[in-house]
Amino acid sequence: MIIVLKQNIDTKSREYQRLERHIRNSPNIELLVYDFQGTERLLTEVLLIGNTAALSIDEIRSFPGVDHVIRVSEVYRILGRHKDDTRPNNFTYNGVTFSQDNLNVFAGLCAVDSAESVEAMMKALQEHGQVCTRMGAYKPRTSPYSFQGNGKNCLPYVFELAGKYGIKVIAMEVTHESHVEEITEALEATGKPTGVMLQIGTRNTQNFELLKIVGRQLEFPVLLKRGFGITLDESLHAAEYLASEGNQKVIFGLRGMKTNIGDPHRNIVDFAHIPVVKRLTRMPVCIDPSHSVGSRSRSSDKILDIMHVTAQGVIAGANMILVDFHPDPSKALVDGPQALRLDELGPFLEDVRIVREAFEKRLALFEGLN
Amino acid sequence: MIIVLKQNIDTKSREYQRLERHIRNSPNIELLVYDFQGTERLLTEVLLIGNTAALSIDEIRSFPGVDHVIRVSEVYRILGRHKDDTRPNNFTYNGVTFSQDNLNVFAGLCAVDSAESVEAMMKALQEHGQVCTRMGAYKPRTSPYSFQGNGKNCLPYVFELAGKYGIKVIAMEVTHESHVEEITEALEATGKPTGVMLQIGTRNTQNFELLKIVGRQLEFPVLLKRGFGITLDESLHAAEYLASEGNQKVIFGLRGMKTNIGDPHRNIVDFAHIPVVKRLTRMPVCIDPSHSVGSRSRSSDKILDIMHVTAQGVIAGANMILVDFHPDPSKALVDGPQALRLDELGPFLEDVRIVREAFEKRLALFEGLN
Amino acid sequence: MIIVLKQNIDTKSREYQRLERHIRNSPNIELLVYDFQGTERLLTEVLLIGNTAALSIDEIRSFPGVDHVIRVSEVYRILGRHKDDTRPNNFTYNGVTFSQDNLNVFAGLCAVDSAESVEAMMKALQEHGQVCTRMGAYKPRTSPYSFQGNGKNCLPYVFELAGKYGIKVIAMEVTHESHVEEITEALEATGKPTGVMLQIGTRNTQNFELLKIVGRQLEFPVLLKRGFGITLDESLHAAEYLASEGNQKVIFGLRGMKTNIGDPHRNIVDFAHIPVVKRLTRMPVCIDPSHSVGSRSRSSDKILDIMHVTAQGVIAGANMILVDFHPDPSKALVDGPQALRLDELGPFLEDVRIVREAFEKRLALFEGLN
Amino acid sequence: MIIVLKQNIDTKSREYQRLERHIRNSPNIELLVYDFQGTERLLTEVLLIGNTAALSIDEIRSFPGVDHVIRVSEVYRILGRHKDDTRPNNFTYNGVTFSQDNLNVFAGLCAVDSAESVEAMMKALQEHGQVCTRMGAYKPRTSPYSFQGNGKNCLPYVFELAGKYGIKVIAMEVTHESHVEEITEALEATGKPTGVMLQIGTRNTQNFELLKIVGRQLEFPVLLKRGFGITLDESLHAAEYLASEGNQKVIFGLRGMKTNIGDPHRNIVDFAHIPVVKRLTRMPVCIDPSHSVGSRSRSSDKILDIMHVTAQGVIAGANMILVDFHPDPSKALVDGPQALRLDELGPFLEDVRIVREAFEKRLALFEGLN
């Protein structure tokens, strides 16, 4: 059960105190309280776990501080969609809105290799009116003997260049809690010229300790990628680890599933799950066409597979695209074979625009019917 | 090596006789000859298998009856794309053209249950200007105790109704060679009011004996569905069984792969392989959104998952759609839960039209760039 | 529901006629009758499908011709194990008994290439006291351009040599109904010097038409291999196709499942399913270590992986082993890299003996406890 | 390249200094130094990474402090087996030897729930002569709302009871670096009555930051379980993360792979990979039959599937068994349905003994042949 309190009613109020006393009369119920501080108002939700069947929803609704009550199903309690659930499916971070209803493109470097590459990338983004990017500083690699990313050393110039070129949000993978601290420090040291979306990669989808720590900080939104050896259901449960610790600014990322039935693609593209995630949860859905496809192969129609699968994501309602570019793919230190070139950024964005427009026509078609 | 002879040069000509004598001088080479009889001209191709490295392409090109020569790679010799390969990627059957460049919709009944259902379906198709359909008479079922389809008994009324409503091509699964005979007989008995595309299902993708027999008949085109436990490469090899026996009118069907990483969908949708099949072979590519998804679930945007994945296929260049409809899904004998209703046919076709239009804009965008 | 009739009560008897009339009084019930002709007695079983809940088991039991009645669950009606089900888990063919309680080894050629190879193999088998073998005449191959087996041409010498060396049962894959006819004819032409177990391969596990035809003949027992892209449950359902047509002499074969999580083995070995198949059904279980592993790699303990996985099958109660040998693996036309050499036959059998002895000790240990 | 120094030659010695100067003359080579302090002697290995092709092995061998030199392949540099590689495949911890040549059983609680359960378990182990166990204090769970283990609170009584009942090594999963600190502190606080083997679970196989931290400590050996969505090769690479940081006391654990082709087992049992891991690396191999099977189902021979798959592991040379027991499985907080009862410990151990004896007979059989 989730109890949404009235605006600006917090846990110190008399209204809440009375409500809490009432609930604590029933045994075996745990209360988790979440505050969402907007610019003008505070929103507080109380998640009850345990033997809530003993409580009367009507009675709880009648308490003065209560706005409304949602009876949640067992799964995806916080991020899920439940009956009569009108909680929002969006959030705004550093001026950029993330929602199940819009689309943001994060084109950028899989791995930061040099300030020159970063600047070339960000300049190109600004020229095309983009305010988001991806920049990998910490790279988890299969072998300990492979390049592991430039780490915290590259953060200052990445953030400064982001500020210079008007980038508002950088998606950046973290694989350890210390990376969050390093990012926070580097942002402060450079005067917060940009924002960061923390990315949890497929190898860490069930690294629950990392999820808990990242979920406890409320500053950065989090992009959680689907785990490649587990079911969709298990990956959605992992997202709840973030939310149950307090951070509900969560985006769910599809990036292909590892199995040889996807050959010759690097992974089998799983973007058909976009409508599933949007049906089951309130999270915006991101796609990663670069890691799904893993090559620059193009079809007999001369269009890159990466662009075809991007189009497949967008036509079904994807809300975010994470895509690898590089000024010189042949020199990229990680995943060069799948990177697009900077001169392909314009056509890529135009392709996305064409397909998103078609998606909106589809929405309008079915809107009129239901 | 494939030798394409000049128009109307056949194997009885003196030109061919000389060529064959020349080739037979080299040991360990097998010749397979394929004739394609068009309305006005005969086209003959000769496939050489074995130790062709010993032959000089230039020398063979210089023979009078030879139009051009293709050095084929080891895989997908006949249906594959090879260097400097200008063979067509299309064919016409009963007035309907199948090509890597166009799109045909086959909406219809997964399993024929009654003449009433068939008539209602075909009437709706005609009203929407459709000339193709799917009609399952022979149904392979997991359990021997389940309904196995109405078999040959339903063929006469299916064909007559097709004629009545202007249906040109019916996709129909066959699971045994006798079904091809039954279809041929029923078509003749009813005066050939329509055409049939033989469909080989995912359980029989590597039923090589069936493929050989179906490949030997040249009347009906064949839709070969991808096998669910094998790699894409192995399924494409299976298509070569049809072609190597003579029938090159082959369409390759994607229908989802069976694995629990696709849950809650019935199968994991594999339509990202559309550009791959079109790159590797000359076959038009069909998608089966109904069997991929397996349910009428719809997303938070109110659009059915089946329609979303159809859109994903079309936006990436699918050439044929096989989709289940039923006048009353709750009474369908097979796969009712995934069938669309007749009142959804119009919106379905309009949705496909919107997305195909966007695909063509994408083609134009990239056409100008390359 | 299965009604087992008393010995020598057949469907022409007055007892059966009365019983059938009684059953037909209830609507929507289908009767399937199976006769098992032993050397001395006839056993008849009647399988009722449909709305059997309306029937009283006690009433049916009271009919004079009825021996006993089994209320079957929905799945695996004939081959499955049901509550209070005492039907046998074994059968005898050409003097060899196949049972969930014993073990037969079928060492032999994956593909027959020459009479010399066949004779060398059978001579070695006789020297080691073996009376079963495998001999592949019809080989389904991924590519139509690969060697497809020597087919019916090799049958006469294979059968004659079997007779010469005392081989009682040859496991032989069939991929088309005509192969059964060819085998029958060749056996008759050569004076039935041996017996044949028809093998249905993994590509045809759900080739239901072939299963029905093979299930209708009652002479040859059938080895049905598990399908590589489907669940165990679906493969067990496929076995019911054989039994529902009348042939209950069915052995179920595990041969590894195709997925890259099995790398570097050719398939992931699935012999942990031996106890599962024996729990759910009455079929003896065969293992195919050669196709599971697919190579002659050996571990740091110098033992071949093929022998290790054979041991894994035997220690868990496997009842039949299908294993590839060849007099000269480097010259084998199919799957040479996984074949054992003839000088390895002795150690292989000794290894199997050691492990089977341990399995029997395990049986005794737990027998005393339960 | 790995340079093994002579006994008691360390990096401060003149011999090493000369060697290092020589190596540093070549550009682009990184040196990693590993010390192994035995009771009597120090062993030092130097791993060279980078452009080692420029170095002469013979020249390096001629340096006075060098014992021998191993040219390593690109993969599994430290833990792998290489040509002419005589490094050991074993280590001893707290009096217990772990080796590719022996077998240790770790029966115990999947999750510690109470001191009573722990004591009952350990008492039973002592009665059966066992000195190892498994005890889960930190439990990674799919849902954040499930019981997450008793954590550090249970460590004092677990360690004290271990001391009381003569347990030498407890396998215990850690999911965060703080757990290693908590274990270290609790061991010191209780006077080090026992030892701990740190276990990295399948969800953290590619949690490289955790692996690096656990690899840097040299006190506790590490059991690394195979990751369920990745290839065997990738999981073996993950083990190198431990070794490359210094800890070579690594055991590799097979625990089944997550896919529905393993149904009705919880995972598909992958113990056929035992000989593969032993061929490719020097790590002892552990099996986890409980998590592979996931239920107490038993076959028609009355033997539990868990015992059958344990036997399959042992007959192929497994070196360690991790198996769940519980005094009262119905009350276990985690994975109760797969736990064995204490009265089954005796038969379990006897079963293992029978099978290990057969394995040793197999070794002797093949030893004589090669």
Side-chain angles (χ1 to χ4, degrees), chain B residues 176-213:
Chain B
H176 189 258
E177 59 208 70
S178 60
H179 303 161
V180 185
E181 292 160 27
E182 291 170 8
I183 288 169
T184 304
E185 284 165 18
L187 275 175
E188 278 167 15
T190 52
K192 290 211 182 184
T194 187
V196 169
M197 176 182 287
L198 303 176
Q199 187 179 323
I200 309 286
T202 191
R203 292 171 181 79
N204 286 299
T205 305
Q206 289 191 316
N207 178 349
F208 299 131
E209 298 304 319
L210 180 60
L211 294 183
K212 287 181 198 167
I213 291 165

Side-chain angles (χ1 to χ4, degrees), chain B residues 141 145 176-177 240-241, chain C residues 141 145 176-177 207 240-241:
Chain B
R141 304 299 301 280
Y145 309 112
H176 189 258
E177 59 208 70
E240 278 286 296
Y241 268 94
Chain C
R141 304 299 299 282
Y145 309 114
H176 189 258
E177 59 208 71
N207 178 349
E240 278 287 296
Y241 268 92

Side-chain angles (χ1 to χ4, degrees), chain C residues 23 69 233:
Chain C
I23 293 165
V69 179
D233 175 64

Side-chain angles (χ1 to χ4, degrees), chain B residues 47 49 77-78 140-145 148 175-177 179 203-204 206-209 212-213 228-230 234 237 240-241 244 258, chain C residues 47 49 77-78 140-145 148 175-177 179 203-204 206-209 212-213 228-230 234 237 240-241 244 258:
Chain B
L47 171 63
I49 298 177
R77 296 175 200 228
I78 299 176
R141 304 299 301 280
T142 300
S143 166
Y145 309 112
Q148 310 268 320
T175 60
H176 189 258
E177 59 208 70
H179 303 161
R203 292 171 181 79
N204 286 299
Q206 289 191 316
N207 178 349
F208 299 131
E209 298 304 319
K212 287 181 198 167
I213 291 165
F228 46 33
I230 53 177
E234 289 167 316
H237 272 297
E240 278 286 296
Y241 268 94
S244 72
K258 204 177 182 78
Chain C
L47 171 63
I49 298 177
R77 296 174 199 229
I78 299 175
R141 304 299 299 282
T142 300
S143 165
Y145 309 114
Q148 310 269 320
T175 59
H176 189 258
E177 59 208 71
H179 302 161
R203 291 171 182 80
N204 286 299
Q206 290 192 316
N207 178 349
F208 300 132
E209 298 303 320
K212 287 181 197 167
I213 291 165
F228 45 32
I230 53 178
E234 289 168 315
H237 272 297
E240 278 287 296
Y241 268 92
S244 72
K258 201 178 184 77

Side-chain angles (χ1 to χ4, degrees), chain B residues 253-268:
Chain B
L254 298 171
R255 44 84 71 215
M257 297 295 284
K258 204 177 182 78
T259 146
N260 60 346
I261 59 177
D263 293 350
H265 288 161
R266 183 169 172 180
N267 293 288
I268 187 158

